Amino acid sequence: MKKGYLKIGLCLTLLTGAINNVSAQKKNEFGNPTLTKYLNDEKTRSISFSGYTEIWARYVELNPGSLVNGEQVNSISDLSLRRVRAKMAYQPTEKLTFILQGGLTNVNVASKTTPAFELLDAYAEYKFNDIISAGAGRSTWRGLSRFTTGPLNTLLYDLPSYATANAGISDETVRQLSIYAKGQIGKFDYRLVIADPYTNVSADPKENLATFSKTHPNKDYSGYFKYEFFETENNSSPFHSGTYSGKKKVLALGAGFEYTHNALWHLDQTGTTINDDEKSFAVDLFYDTPINKATGTSFSAYAMAMNNDYGPNYTRYSGVSNPASGVNASVSTLNGAGNASPVIGTGNTYYVQIGGTLPYFNKAKNNMQLQPAGSVMLSDLDGLHDKALTYDAGISLLMNGMSSRLTFDAQNRPIYALNNAGQADVSDRKWQYVLKYRIDFN
C-alpha cells in the first residue's frame, strides 16, 4: 500500500512541477494553458502531462447465480473507477519521443485488495520522417481494427466489447511488449506491430473446444491500414478518435489483421492435442463531419465487420468492471458471473454505431451540448446456436467539449444456456444502466 501511495505522490509531484513551468501558448477545452513545457524556442522539444478519470455509477441486472460477497443477488447498484490515467510525454529531440503512463482500472465493489497504481505504457519512438516512425516498449500499439486499442473519445459510454476481446488473456490492460512501425504516405496511414503475448491461462485442452494454450506463446503479428478521404488524422498515439464532435471532417476506410501461431489448443476425438492459430481480419469505415459549425451540430458513424478464427467453438464471455465475485454453479448460465456476455469467438462479428452533437445551449459561448448515440453488435459465432445481439443507447452532456462530459447509457445483453440438444441458445436478456462522468487534464 505504501509503495502505491509513493508512486501516486511522485506523479503528483512531477505534475506540480510541470504546472509551475507551463507554457501558456496552447489552450485546452477548459480555456486553460495546456500542461506543456517547451524546451527550445522553436517549440520542437517539450515535456507534457495529461490524463483523465472515468467514474461510473450503475445499476446492473446480474446474470443468474451471481455472487457478491458470497451472497447470491439478482441485481446491484455500485460505483466504479473505470479508468484513472496519468501520462507523461517527453520529446528531448525533434525525432525522439518517450511515453510513460500509469493508472488504475476497474476499481469496484469486487476489488477486495488495495488497488494498484500500475505501469501501463513505457515506450520510445523515433520518427525518421512522416513516412516511417519506429518504436518499442510496452504499449497499446496494435493492429486489426480502429478501436482495438480503444478510441480517444468514445461516442458512447465505453468501448465496444469486441475491440479488446483478448484483454487479460494475451495482454495486460490491453498492453503488450512490442515493436512497431507506423507512418503516413499522403492519405494512406499504416501501422505494423510484432508483440510478445502474455500467458495468463492454465487450462488444459478440451475436446472440440479451443482454449488459449498455456505453452510458450509465439509472436503476435498485427497491422492496420486506412485511407483518409478528407482530413487526415493524427497518428502520434496508438488511439483513434471515436468522434470529433464536428471539429473535423473525416472519412476513413480501414482494414487490418492479427495472427498468432499456435495461440490456442483443443483435443480431437482421439484425445490428441491439436494446436490452433489465432487469425483475425477486419474492415471498417469511420465518418465524422460537422453539419453546422455555427450551432455545433455534427454527425458521426462507424461500421465494422470482423472474421475471427480461434479454433473450434471458441467463445469468450466477459464483463467490463465485473461487480460479481463468483457464481453459484448450480443455477449459472454459460455467461458466468456478473455482467459477462459473449464478446468474441470463432465466427463473424458486426458492429455499427451512430450519433452526433445537437446545437449548443449557448451559441454565444459555444458550450454545453447534447450528444445522443446508439450502437448494435451482432455476433454469429460457431459456439453459439443463436446469434448474439447486444445494443446500447445513450446520451452525453458535453460541458467543456469532450474534456468534461456526463454520459448515460442503457445496454441490453443476451444470456445463454444449453438447450436439450446441448446447443447454446438465448434464454434471457438483461439490462445495465451506466451514468459516467469523465474529466480530462492536459
Side-chain angles (χ1 to χ4, degrees), residues 184 189 226 228 232-237 239-240 244 248:
Q184 292 178 322
D189 183 292
K226 64 177 178 175
E228 300 164 312
T232 58
E233 299 183 271
N234 190 312
N235 72 345
S236 61
S237 85
F239 306 105
H240 285 97
Y244 290 100
K248 298 183 74 170

Side-chain angles (χ1 to χ4, degrees), residues 292-306:
N292 187 322
K293 288 188 176 182
T295 61
T297 54
S298 68
F299 175 75
S300 182
Y302 176 71
M304 188 279 318
M306 182 182 294

